[in-house]
Amino acid sequence: MNTGRVLSTGTGAGPNPRATGATGAPDPGSGPAADRERAAAAIRADGTPEAEWARWEGWEAVRAAPRIDGPVVVVAAHPDDEVLGVGGTLARLTAAGTDVHVVTVTDGEASHPGSRRVSPAALARLRADELTAALDDLGIDRRRRTRLGVPDTRVDAYESEVAGHLAEVVRSSGARLCLAPWTGDLHADHEAAGRAARTAARVTGTPLWYYPVWMWHWAVPGDPRVPWGSVRRLPLTEAEQARKGAAVNRFRTQIAPLADDPDDATVILPPAELLHHRRAFEVILL
């Protein structure tokens, strides 16, 4: 989950009206480049506070998700997406003895493009180490982890190859469910990873659930761009929340500055943003 990545409105999920209005930027017009700029502006802008989501009365109409029967394949565009989106659920599954296979599409090396202290290659290694520790916290077997090494910000250019790899993992694992980033998350890498998972799920005949990551930032409660009828809740116990919280805290490159230098002071996931992912439940879209 990086603000330094290429962003897209490829599935029609537009920017937050409140956020784009706050930028004061002129209308960039229409077309793919304009869509990317609108999306980038939405994610750069101040997001919807978690307090606003917490008091939304619409939660009462959101039903519980169906029971998950494993094995499960979880797809992440970048290291941390799977933990932010469904980390508590993964902790519950592993505690119950369910096989969970995690496929991380990129190494997240583009999260700090302006850094003068940490090269993309070094950042990829740091993020891989963070992911290892986080997945250990969630109880994911190290033999069931795959890193595809697709270039960060360019997942769409490798979508077919990613779909092929995912289909292989789904088949070899005997997965009965695939979890992947939502194709309407307003982030090009997330959307492309979700589309690749959709292709793999169709080829293998595997049910697919999507999880949102950036949606909580750019959307507003009751937002018409979100298919609320497809949204389901996955409640978490205190123990599952604690394990997820420990895993989230492993991603130091994302939740703290890389260094004091202004070029390295950007915090990708500040405390206000993390509040969306520290709830007593998670959300999927069927």
Side-chain angles (χ1 to χ4, degrees):
M1 177 176 178
N2 305 2
T3 54
R5 296 189 172 95
V6 178
L7 305 167
S8 168
T9 55
T11 60
N16 184 341
R18 175 192 302 144
T20 52
T23 66
D27 186 343
S30 60
D35 285 345
R36 287 173 182 266
E37 177 51 37
R38 289 191 186 94
I43 293 184
R44 283 196 305 263
D46 292 338
T48 301
E50 177 59 18
E52 192 170 332
W53 285 109
R55 61 174 175 262
W56 181 41
E57 295 180 355
W59 287 122
E60 297 178 3
V62 177
R63 292 178 288 169
R67 176 178 173 175
I68 299 176
D69 293 317
V72 177
V73 168
V74 185
V75 182
H78 318 100
D80 76 7
D81 291 336
E82 68 286 275
V83 178
L84 295 169
V86 288
T89 298
L90 300 185
R92 180 171 71 252
L93 291 173
T94 59
T98 302
D99 283 343
V100 176
H101 299 246
V102 175
V103 180
T104 310
V105 179
T106 80
D107 289 328
E109 70 275 9
S111 67
H112 292 74
S115 176
R116 295 188 294 178
R117 302 260 187 121
V118 182
S119 69
L123 185 54
R125 290 191 294 271
L126 288 172
R127 298 198 67 179
D129 289 343
E130 292 171 344
L131 181 64
T132 294
L135 296 185
D136 284 349
D137 287 336
L138 298 181
I140 309 295
D141 190 320
R142 290 194 177 190
R143 295 168 297 178
R144 295 182 173 88
R145 307 177 190 181
T146 303
R147 289 167 52 205
L148 298 184
V150 170
D152 194 2
T153 76
R154 296 186 60 200
V155 178
D156 55 349
Y158 295 83
E159 195 172 314
S160 295
E161 292 91 336
V162 172
H165 283 295
L166 294 179
E168 290 177 8
V169 174
V170 168
R171 288 193 185 100
S172 64
S173 67
R176 300 180 64 181
L177 177 67
C178 184
L179 291 166
W182 181 37
T183 53
D185 208 35
L186 199 61
H187 189 300
D189 278 356
H190 291 197
E191 293 179 353
R195 291 193 302 269
R198 181 174 62 200
T199 298
R202 286 175 177 171
V203 168
T204 60
T206 307
L208 173 66
W209 295 359
Y210 296 113
Y211 62 86
V213 177
W214 277 111
M215 185 186 86
W216 309 114
H217 179 89
W218 57 258
V220 294
D223 199 309
R225 297 161 297 173
V226 177
W228 294 107
S230 298
V231 172
R232 299 290 186 272
R233 291 171 64 133
L234 291 157
L236 304 176
T237 65
E238 290 185 3
E240 291 158 0
Q241 291 179 65
R243 289 180 66 188
K244 177 179 181 175
V248 169
N249 289 340
R250 296 290 189 177
F251 296 102
R252 300 304 301 172
T253 62
Q254 308 301 294
I255 66 176
L258 289 180
D260 294 333
D261 188 294
D263 291 326
D264 292 298
T266 299
V267 176
I268 306 302
L269 293 168
E273 192 70 33
L274 285 177
L275 287 176
H276 300 316
H277 306 286
R278 296 193 186 278
R279 298 169 178 161
F281 64 92
E282 293 169 336
V283 161
I284 53 92
L285 295 90
L286 299 179

